[in-house]
Amino acid sequence: MALPPLVEPAEALTPQEIRRYSRHLIIPDVAMDGQKRLKNAKVLCVGAGGLGSPALMYLAAAGVGTLGIVDFDVVDESNLQRQVIHGQSDIGRPKAESARDSVREINPLVNVVLHTDRLDSSNALEIFAGYDLIVDGTDNFATRYLVNDACVLLGKPYVWGSIYRFDGQASVFWAEHGPCYRCLYPEPPPPGMVPSCAEGGVLGVLCASVGSIQVTEAIKVLTGIGEPLVGRLMIYDALEMTYRSVKVRKDPECPLCGKNPTISELIDYEEFCGTVSDEAQQAAAGSTITAAELKALMDAGEDFLLVDVREPAEWEIVKIPGAVLIPKGDLPAKLATLPQDKPIIAYCKTGVRSAEALALLKSAGFSDAKHVQGGVTAWATQVDKGQPVY
């Protein structure tokens, strides 16, 4: 459905701005009025990573007057495969500062505001209050629910995007005119069920595809043109090169935006979503070793079975010597083949999947089982520093 413009137009465009945005100005739907609305708009981008990179670049190029950037992370070499707002010389720099410099190079007329603290329940409302529209470029469920709840409580629209391997999704959530994120996903998935991009991977160019859709939706909402993705979920399959749209209806029982809301303030979203299940946390208590402790057991000649519970593609990148590969999904069918006469030590990339595997092992009677805190990443950064980190 068509919606009214979100922001009022600025008083005027300068001759320089008219030259810069001329290709917008000659589009009848945008024209001078739409471009002046973009100039007057304040947009906050949560995250300067895979989705935030193209979003920030195209929002700046489009002439959004004020761009806020929320990101507390630093640029890592593994980011450069998809986070195109950063370059080789930015490795080790705060992402927010690197993104700001790129935005200024693209369009020096844009006012850039940095928010370098970790976004959480204590500061989200205060930060969001200064902006007209939020673009969510996060990659974890805790922050997604935080962004959604803060926007609903403040009455602000936000453009959401999600990427994983070859699949992308996007929508516009605006409780005043349609559903919120909780209407689509009332509860987060069980811990460990949906891998992050760091664990499951993502095709780099997918970020550009979904990020550009987010910017398109932001421009439509800000200027009041077209029909935004309010009440619709756009699903993109890069392998099949297909787009499809699914209707999303407002849930009258939604605890946040429904008829009788029960959520009136921000909550602890890490606890709400959880990184590992309660069973995994209980199993890991007293049964967790460090990468250094694993190396000491190896050097002492201790007899144990080291099990890598990652996927075969990850195994090909880097592995801990002496390990056997049993992906976490295959572990239930392999329990009968595991030895009962020696301890089992599981590891994954960072320790999340191996904690879940440990819970399964404990429940199956392997009481001496342990897992490696930090996984193969800790091994490569603390023990065998010649091994690659991915």
Side-chain angles (χ1 to χ4, degrees), residues 310-324:
R310 299 174 300 153
E311 295 301 309
E314 297 174 272
W315 169 267
E316 293 179 6
I317 299 171
V318 58
K319 61 182 73 70
I320 298 178
V324 297

Side-chain angles (χ1 to χ4, degrees), residues 32-71:
M32 187 69 75
D33 181 78
Q35 193 62 48
K36 289 193 290 186
R37 293 183 193 276
L38 292 177
K39 178 180 179 178
N40 210 27
K42 297 178 180 179
V43 175
L44 178 70
C45 195
V46 182
L51 291 175
S53 289
L56 284 165
M57 295 167 75
Y58 273 103
L59 287 167
V64 170
T66 298
L67 277 180
I69 304 173
V70 180
D71 204 304

